[in-house]
């Protein structure tokens, strides 16, 4: 028998002071996995010292492990662990620079074997024996407690490479969040990885995907908290996948640095996370219209044809996209002069017709001495280097490329200037950052190698640390460029990759999905999850990217897209032949061969009509979406929410993955299967009205599903604002319609409007209407209060009262009685009236 060579002894690390450890405790004997990469594993032992330093309580263990706890608000605790008492400079790309910690009075108490930090809302108890932590709420309930707690591993080759936290998991605890994961909504029993990855034709099991969002919600007995692990290395999350009773998260480098966000509601956690990492700003109104895309509309005559196709058929549309083929040989910021001889004329003509143009930009800059961007980039040191000191290059669409180092502030500034011709001169309205994981063409290693070095804003690091924030920082560079080039305009940027906090710089689409019903379901799940993970401005390739949609799938997907803040159709187009694709992608495409076009009129007349109706519904509901986006920018409320957000105490809602909340008062129950004629919906507490019939219901209900209708419900007492349909958002709004839903009790709704472009709203040019409804003793009233200096252009308001329990005998507006107009439906009546926009109060009496 062969004797294994003895591993060399582990060198005892020299720890800098302070603190000076009294001993180095190798809790687990130092073993070697591989002869050449010895590892050491360390866990905190007894706390030997506690002190207040630089805004945090520091707990120092005998063996050098250190925990720093800072309280950023009564409900936000931050915990940073170091295995050896050394902390890297504090730095984060995720935290919103506008975030300001609150001044909180925190008491530190020492008790038998424990230290206690109390912020009022939240208490943290640190065990003296082993540094384990417990979080309690005001009612002394344990919200979350360490199981094994913190541990760290290091190897010679990687240094500290597994910084781990293990926590106890309650029996009935459920978990949500983590961004774009494609599996069922409740995360418990599953494990995940975060590493931005190009994932062509991904499925429910694919993980990781394009984005890294290391933030999750836990919900136990109706009480929620959140955990945000602010670490950009590859991270792992395990929600008790082995039924051991523990949850665990760990990072492959850097610091175990997490934020504990107190609820108690799921909504509170969402808002606190938004406070910490920011939100997207209010988009220009055209960006919330319908968008048409394909790989690629090319040449310009094809683009014009598509635009004309919309207007001829009177199908609303606000934006047309140009995919990579508009460029000259995939060189960013150039044009294929043959196919697009006069881009400005094209963009101007499209704008004249009410279309904005959006173009793609990739991070890879073609290696070509005659290409200005490459030449300047080289001359000015704009690109990433390997640790050997040469410019890092990898193949993407244009062949071998260099990649800008977006973590360098000078590079970000330079990158921003590159948009000048497209954005300012030609008038491209928005941009689309693709391949920014970054993706490269390599079968096994789909991104840059680990030895690529990044500036990282003065804290240099390798690609292991910068990979996950590469796309986010590309988006930031672009976004800041737009702000500088045309500060008067609201930018629109759509990105594939991102990291926590990246919502401040771009909208997100979910990447290369497929044209099948399974993917419609995944699209629904992913957008809900992205929205509660900070990215409300999200959408999917409607109809599916790869493969062939059929009419019914396409229409049902459009109907779901009505309720996604980004509503964009996109498909792989002619590229499905595999021509020009890297071999491994071409191979995947083969069975998914795409033959059909994917415009609203591509599936025959019947489906064209239905598609048109879906898109028209989007334009009707724009005031509702715009108001939801406004609320999101104001306090971080997600535009889409998982149904558990409606009632955290109802376990029947935990595993719902089809139905979700939209904005303030809507519950959407999309059709995500073929040939559905009837759909059962479980409504959370309270009464809800089925939009299409005005029928009230609660608990379990069944609705008949028409091909032209996506099922959705309105909360009782709500006021639902609706515009007439328009061909694009630049058209005038003739009238506002308010659907008012009866409730026995009180409810509040908001309608936010402004110019839809620019920043005058920040100086008061907005209109916020607060609607308060109240029903009691056979009467119902609607009050309107307006804030802001903006007056929307419409001069008429039409009101429909839905659900009044008896016949209305009297109706008065601002104290003046008005004749009753009744619309008799099969089993109930609607009541309608016309008013001036500035009415203050309407009363109905039965
Ligand atoms: O390697 O630009 O996800 O939306 O159409 C494929 C071509 C590159 C991937 C994007 C897709 C886009 C395509 N791009």
């Amino acid at each position: 028998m062969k004797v294994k060579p003895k591993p060399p002894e582990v060198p005892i690390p020299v720890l800098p002071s302070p603190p000076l450890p009294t001993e180095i405790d190798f809790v687990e004997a130092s073993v070697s996995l591989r002869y050449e990469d010895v590892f050491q594993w360390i866990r905190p032992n007894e706390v030997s010292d506690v002190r207040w330093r630089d805004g945090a309580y520091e707990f120092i263990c005998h063996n050098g492990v250190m925990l720093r706890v800072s309280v950023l608000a009564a409900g936000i605790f931050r915990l940073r662990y170091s295995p050896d008492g050394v902390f890297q400079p504090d730095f984060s790309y995720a935290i919103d620079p506008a975030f300001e910690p609150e001044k909180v009075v925190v008491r530190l108490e020492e008790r038998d074997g424990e230290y206690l930090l109390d912020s009022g809302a939240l208490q943290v108890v640190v065990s003296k024996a082993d540094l384990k932590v417990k979080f309690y709420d005001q009612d002394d309930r344990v919200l979350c407690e360490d199981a094994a707690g913190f541990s760290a591993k290091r190897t010679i080759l990687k240094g500290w490479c597994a910084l781990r936290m293990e926590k106890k998991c309650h029996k009935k605890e459920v978990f949500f969040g983590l961004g774009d994961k494609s599996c069922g909504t409740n995360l418990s029993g599953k494990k995940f990885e975060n590493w931005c990855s190009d994932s062509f034709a991904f499925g429910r099991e694919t993980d990781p995907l394009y984005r890294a969002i290391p933030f999750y919600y836990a919900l136990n007995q109706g009480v929620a908290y959140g955990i945000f692990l602010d670490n950009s290395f590859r991270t792992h999350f395990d929600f008790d996948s082995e039924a051991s009773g523990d949850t665990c998260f760990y990072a492959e480098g850097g610091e175990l640095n997490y934020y504990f966000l107190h609820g108690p509601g799921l909504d509170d956690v969402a808002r606190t996370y938004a406070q910490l990492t920011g939100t997207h700003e209010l988009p220009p109104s055209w960006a919330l219209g319908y968008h048409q895309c394909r790989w690629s509309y090319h040449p310009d005559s094809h683009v014009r044809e598509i635009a004309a196709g919309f207007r001829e058929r009177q199908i609303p549309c606000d934006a047309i996209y140009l995919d990579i083929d508009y460029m000259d040989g995939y060189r960013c910021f150039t044009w294929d002069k043959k196919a697009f001889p006069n881009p400005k004329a094209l963009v101007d003509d499209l704008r004249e017709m009410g279309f904005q143009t959006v173009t793609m930009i990739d991070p890879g800059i073609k290696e070509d001495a005659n290409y200005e961007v490459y030449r300047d980039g080289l001359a000015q040191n704009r690109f990433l280097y390997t640790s050997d000191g040469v410019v890092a290059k990898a193949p993407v669409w244009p062949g071998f490329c260099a990649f800008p180092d977006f973590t360098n502030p000078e590079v970000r500034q330079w990158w921003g200037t590159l948009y000048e011709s497209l954005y300012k001169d030609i008038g491209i309205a928005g941009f689309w950052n693709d391949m920014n994981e970054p993706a490269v063409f390599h079968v096994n290693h789909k991104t840059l190698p680990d030895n690529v070095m990044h500036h990282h804003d003065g804290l240099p690091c390798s690609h292991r640390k910068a990979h996950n924030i590469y796309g986010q920082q590309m988006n930031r560079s672009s976004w800041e460029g737009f702000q500088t080039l045309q500060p008067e305009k609201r930018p629109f940027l759509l990105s594939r990759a991102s990291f926590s906090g990246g919502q401040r710089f771009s909208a997100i689409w979910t990447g290369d999905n497929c044209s099948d019903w399974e993917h419609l379901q995944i699209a629904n799940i992913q957008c809900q999850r992205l929205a509660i993970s900070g990215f409300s401005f999200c959408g999917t390739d409607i109809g599916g990217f790869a493969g062939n949609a059929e009419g019914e799938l396409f229409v049902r997907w459009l109907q779901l897209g009505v309720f996604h803040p980004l509503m964009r159709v996109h498909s792989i187009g002619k590229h499905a032949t595999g021509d020009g694709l890297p071999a491994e992608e071409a191979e995947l495409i083969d069975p998914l061969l795409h033959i059909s076009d994917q415009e609203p009129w591509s599936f025959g007349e019947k489906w064209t009509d239905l598609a048109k109706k879906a898109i028209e519904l989007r334009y009707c509901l724009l005031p509702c979406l715009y108001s939801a986006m406004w609320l999101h920018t104001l306090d971080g409320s997600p535009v889409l929410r998982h149904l558990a957000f409606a009632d955290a105490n109802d376990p029947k809602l935990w595993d719902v993955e089809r139905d979700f909340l939209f904005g303030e008062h809507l519950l959407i129950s999309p059709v995500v299967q073929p040939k559905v004629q009837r759909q059962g919906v479980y409504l959370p507490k309270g009464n809800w009205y089925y939009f299409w019939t005005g029928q009230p219901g609660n608990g379990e209900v069944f609705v008949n599903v028409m091909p032209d209708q996506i099922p959705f419900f309105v909360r009782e007492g709500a006021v639902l604002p609706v515009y007439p349909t328009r061909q694009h958002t630049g058209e005038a709004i003739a009238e506002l319609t308010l659907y008012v839903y009866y409730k026995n009790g009180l409810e509040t709704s908001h309608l936010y409007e402004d110019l839809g472009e620019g920043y005058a709203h920040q100086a008061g040019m907005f209109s916020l209407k607060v609607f308060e409804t109240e029903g009691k003793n056979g009467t119902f009233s609607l009050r309107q209060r307006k804030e802001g200096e903006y007056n929307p252009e419409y001069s008429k308001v039409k009101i429909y009262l839905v659900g009044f329990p008896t016949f209305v005998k009297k109706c008065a507006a601002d104290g003046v009685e008005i004749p009753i107009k009744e619309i008799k439906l099969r089993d109930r009546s609607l009541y309608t009236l016309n008013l001036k926009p500035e009415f203050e109060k309407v009363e109905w009496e039965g």
Side-chain angles (χ1 to χ4, degrees):
M1 210 181 102
K2 252 190 167 172
V3 183
K4 258 196 173 171
K6 247 183 99 186
E9 270 183 9
V10 177
I12 292 180
V14 184
L15 295 174
S17 57
L20 267 187
T22 49
E23 64 182 287
I24 301 295
D25 181 13
F26 298 86
V27 172
E28 179 109 326
S30 302
V31 200
S32 138
L33 279 180
R34 262 178 276 129
Y35 180 70
E36 69 275 22
D37 203 10
V38 179
F39 79 84
Q40 176 195 9
W41 195 50
I42 194 163
R43 281 194 187 295
N45 61 6
E46 199 179 335
V47 177
S48 63
D49 196 10
V50 181
R51 64 189 179 199
W52 169 260
R53 183 164 288 189
D54 301 331
Y57 288 97
E58 294 187 340
F59 299 85
I60 303 144
C61 299
H62 273 294
N63 62 359
V65 175
M66 198 198 303
L67 163 64
R68 291 175 52 94
V69 182
S70 43
V71 182
L72 307 175
I76 311 180
F77 279 54
R78 178 180 180 199
L79 286 83
R80 301 173 67 189
Y81 291 85
S82 161
D84 53 15
V86 182
F87 286 93
Q88 295 299 308
D90 194 14
F91 181 81
S92 169
Y93 282 124
I95 304 298
D96 186 355
F99 170 73
E100 278 184 29
E102 288 162 23
K103 287 218 163 55
V104 196
V105 185
V106 182
R107 283 182 301 127
L108 173 75
E109 259 178 55
E110 201 178 331
R111 287 191 200 150
D112 316 328
E114 286 180 345
Y115 300 100
L116 184 139
L117 284 174
D118 190 349
S119 75
L122 203 61
Q123 293 181 355
V124 169
V125 169
V126 181
S127 149
K128 271 188 184 175
D130 51 16
L131 206 67
K132 284 184 192 168
V133 167
K134 276 188 201 180
F135 295 90
Y136 291 88
D137 67 7
Q138 277 160 315
D139 305 326
D140 257 357
R141 252 183 312 210
V142 182
L143 299 172
C144 168
E145 73 183 288
D146 287 359
F150 174 72
S151 67
K153 182 179 111 175
R154 72 169 149 193
T155 71
I156 293 174
L157 296 185
K158 286 189 177 155
W160 294 112
C161 60
L163 298 112
R164 236 174 131 85
M165 173 52 64
E166 283 160 87
K167 293 182 173 293
K168 287 189 186 161
C169 172
H170 299 274
K171 259 224 183 88
K172 288 191 181 155
E173 201 160 1
V174 288
F175 302 93
F176 302 109
L178 276 194
D180 62 348
K181 305 303 180 196
S182 48
C183 64
T185 27
N186 176 359
L187 304 173
S188 54
K190 304 189 183 106
K191 61 178 178 185
F192 304 93
E193 206 176 298
N194 291 312
W195 184 255
C196 299
S197 304
D198 184 358
S199 315
F200 177 78
F202 61 93
R204 267 195 193 241
E205 305 303 322
T206 314
D207 181 59
L209 292 170
Y210 299 88
R211 286 149 288 274
I213 306 175
F215 159 61
Y216 72 86
Y217 297 74
L219 177 65
N220 181 37
Q221 298 184 338
V223 182
Y225 66 84
I227 286 193
F228 169 45
L229 173 61
D230 188 5
N231 182 309
S232 62
F233 282 81
R234 194 189 289 262
T235 54
H236 302 258
F237 287 77
D238 189 327
F239 301 98
D240 200 17
S241 68
E242 299 190 350
S244 58
D246 290 348
T247 61
C248 162
F249 51 88
Y250 73 97
E252 294 192 8
E255 193 179 284
L256 192 95
N257 165 26
Y258 79 90
Y259 292 80
F260 186 89
L261 314 176
H262 178 48
L266 290 163
D267 277 318
D268 301 316
V269 176
R271 289 192 285 251
T272 310
Y273 178 72
Q275 208 186 325
L276 207 56
T277 61
T279 65
H280 197 284
E281 63 172 48
L282 204 55
S285 52
W286 68 265
L288 300 179
Y290 170 80
H291 298 188
Q292 182 68 37
C293 185
R294 172 196 170 98
W295 182 15
S296 301
Y297 291 129
H298 178 275
D300 58 355
S301 55
H302 191 194
V303 183
R304 288 174 189 275
E305 245 168 63
I306 295 295
F310 277 95
R311 296 300 179 247
E312 273 158 26
R313 296 174 179 87
Q314 298 266 297
I315 298 176
C317 180
D318 263 278
I320 295 187
Y321 285 57
L322 304 182
D323 204 321
I324 35 176
D325 299 301
Y326 81 89
M327 302 175 197
D328 170 18
Y330 306 121
R331 289 169 189 82
C332 293
F333 309 105
T334 68
W335 289 87
D336 171 347
K337 294 239 171 68
K338 246 178 93 196
F340 295 88
N342 191 346
K344 180 150 171 57
L346 172 70
V347 171
D348 284 347
D349 291 349
L350 288 177
R351 195 185 310 104
E352 192 72 6
M353 295 169 75
F355 294 96
Q356 308 297 321
T357 310
V358 178
T359 56
M360 173 174 279
I361 291 289
D362 284 9
I365 298 299
K366 185 179 173 70
E367 177 184 57
D368 169 4
N370 296 318
Y371 170 33
E372 204 184 322
V373 179
Y374 177 73
R375 255 193 353 246
D376 288 358
L378 269 194
Q380 301 168 31
N381 265 329
R382 304 304 187 204
F383 299 124
L384 292 169
Y385 283 77
T386 70
S387 53
D388 296 326
V390 295
V391 171
K393 286 179 187 161
V396 210
W397 288 103
F400 270 88
C401 286
F403 296 81
D405 184 359
F406 298 111
T407 67
N408 179 336
E410 283 174 18
V411 176
R412 285 198 293 269
Q413 199 265 331
W414 167 72
W415 182 258
T417 63
L418 300 177
Y419 289 89
E420 179 158 3
S421 154
L422 289 175
Y423 194 45
K424 266 182 106 162
D425 305 343
I426 296 178
I428 301 297
F431 295 88
W432 173 22
N433 283 353
D434 190 20
M435 305 291 273
N436 53 357
E437 293 71 30
V440 310
F441 292 163
H442 184 292
V443 190
N444 304 319
H445 194 99
K446 295 200 271 183
T447 191
L448 296 172
D450 286 352
N451 75 338
V452 167
M453 301 299 292
H454 296 252
H455 182 282
H456 209 274
D457 281 79
L459 303 165
C461 69
S462 80
H463 197 64
R464 289 179 65 232
K465 180 172 177 177
H467 174 82
N468 277 339
I469 47 86
Y470 188 78
Q472 188 221 43
Q473 289 300 300
M474 177 191 183
N475 300 339
R476 174 183 175 188
S477 311
S478 310
W479 184 268
E480 291 174 353
F482 307 145
Q483 286 179 322
T484 310
L485 287 168
Q486 298 197 70
E488 69 288 359
K489 275 189 72 166
R490 299 184 195 173
F492 172 72
L493 178 62
L494 180 61
S495 171
R496 201 168 70 172
S498 202
F499 184 72
S500 288
Q503 65 268 21
R504 305 196 297 274
F505 316 118
S506 83
I508 288 289
W509 98 99
T510 56
D512 298 346
N513 57 4
C514 305
S515 303
D516 56 47
W517 292 91
E518 164 97 345
H519 268 271
L520 173 54
Q521 292 154 22
I522 292 176
N524 180 21
I525 291 170
Q526 277 188 301
C527 286
Q528 290 181 46
R529 194 173 265 140
L530 277 167
I532 64 167
S533 306
F535 288 85
S536 271
F537 199 2
C538 62
T540 65
D541 284 354
I542 294 174
F545 179 67
N548 239 331
E550 28 89 24
E552 188 186 2
L553 174 69
F554 182 70
V555 165
R556 289 303 186 196
W557 207 320
L558 272 177
Q559 291 172 346
L560 171 64
V562 169
F563 296 99
H564 285 166
L566 176 81
M567 186 186 191
R568 185 185 75 144
V569 166
H570 182 38
S571 76
I572 197 168
K574 68 178 183 196
H575 294 270
T577 56
D579 283 357
L581 282 178
E584 70 272 17
E585 288 202 15
E587 216 168 273
L588 276 166
I589 281 175
D590 201 31
L592 302 166
L593 237 152
H594 184 99
I595 305 154
S596 65
D597 289 337
Q598 214 160 273
E599 286 84 46
W601 53 86
S602 303
F603 302 92
E605 220 173 290
K606 170 182 164 196
W607 301 112
T608 306
D609 286 351
L610 295 174
K612 179 176 175 183
K613 275 193 169 171
I615 299 170
E616 286 172 349
L617 177 64
R618 166 67 163 219
Y619 281 77
C620 293
L621 292 175
L622 274 176
C624 192
L625 172 60
Y626 200 58
S627 302
M629 287 302 284
W630 162 77
L631 190 65
H632 172 67
T633 62
L634 190 76
D635 72 0
S637 298
V639 173
L640 314 177
R641 287 171 299 158
H642 185 265
L643 268 198
F645 281 63
D647 181 2
N649 285 302
D650 185 348
K652 283 203 201 131
L653 300 172
W654 293 345
D655 293 299
V656 173
E657 60 180 55
R658 187 195 59 201
D659 305 340
F660 61 94
L661 300 169
F662 174 89
E664 251 181 340
H665 295 308
L666 299 187
L667 188 155
I668 319 302
S669 178
V671 175
V672 292
Q673 277 165 337
K675 304 197 172 47
V676 172
Q677 291 182 335
R678 218 167 139 67
Q679 190 146 288
V681 182
Y682 177 70
L683 298 165
K685 69 181 174 198
N687 292 313
W688 297 81
Y689 290 86
Y690 190 55
F691 175 78
W692 299 107
T693 59
Q695 174 91 42
N698 57 56
E700 183 104 33
V701 299
F702 286 87
V703 293
N704 291 328
V705 176
M706 303 298 157
D708 60 342
Q709 297 173 347
I710 170 172
F712 70 101
F713 298 81
V714 190
R715 195 195 306 278
E716 59 176 340
V719 174
L720 176 67
V722 168
Y723 288 159
T725 188
R726 287 171 291 163
Q727 290 308 294
H728 58 90
T729 56
E731 279 186 358
I733 301 154
E735 184 180 44
L736 171 71
T737 303
L738 300 175
Y739 288 88
V740 185
Y741 293 85
Y742 177 85
K743 176 187 181 178
N744 193 13
L746 301 166
E747 190 54 82
T748 308
S749 311
H750 297 86
L751 168 60
Y752 175 88
E753 295 161 291
D754 64 18
L755 291 162
E757 178 56 285
Y759 293 93
H761 60 295
Q762 291 176 351
M765 269 307 271
F766 66 87
S767 158
L768 174 64
K769 290 171 181 165
V770 184
F771 300 111
E772 286 166 333
T773 55
E774 182 173 11
K776 63 173 181 213
N777 308 331
T779 66
F780 189 63
S781 66
L782 162 69
R783 271 174 199 281
Q784 167 176 268
R785 207 176 65 227
K786 181 177 173 294
E787 292 170 26
E789 289 154 26
Y790 175 65
N791 289 314
E793 61 209 330
Y794 47 80
S795 54
K796 283 193 282 183
V797 174
K798 185 176 214 80
I799 292 183
Y800 288 99
L801 172 65
V802 186
F804 196 82
T806 58
F807 283 105
V808 170
K809 291 194 191 122
K810 238 168 104 181
C811 173
D814 294 329
V816 181
E817 202 167 316
I818 38 182
I820 295 163
K821 274 190 243 157
E822 185 182 349
I823 303 172
K824 280 205 162 70
L825 302 181
R826 196 151 44 92
D827 54 349
R828 80 206 62 120
S829 289
L830 299 183
Y831 297 91
T832 174
L833 65 151
N834 295 313
L835 294 173
K836 290 264 166 251
E838 49 281 349
F839 77 91
E840 283 175 13
K841 188 173 184 188
V842 188
E843 291 158 287
W844 293 273
E845 235 179 273

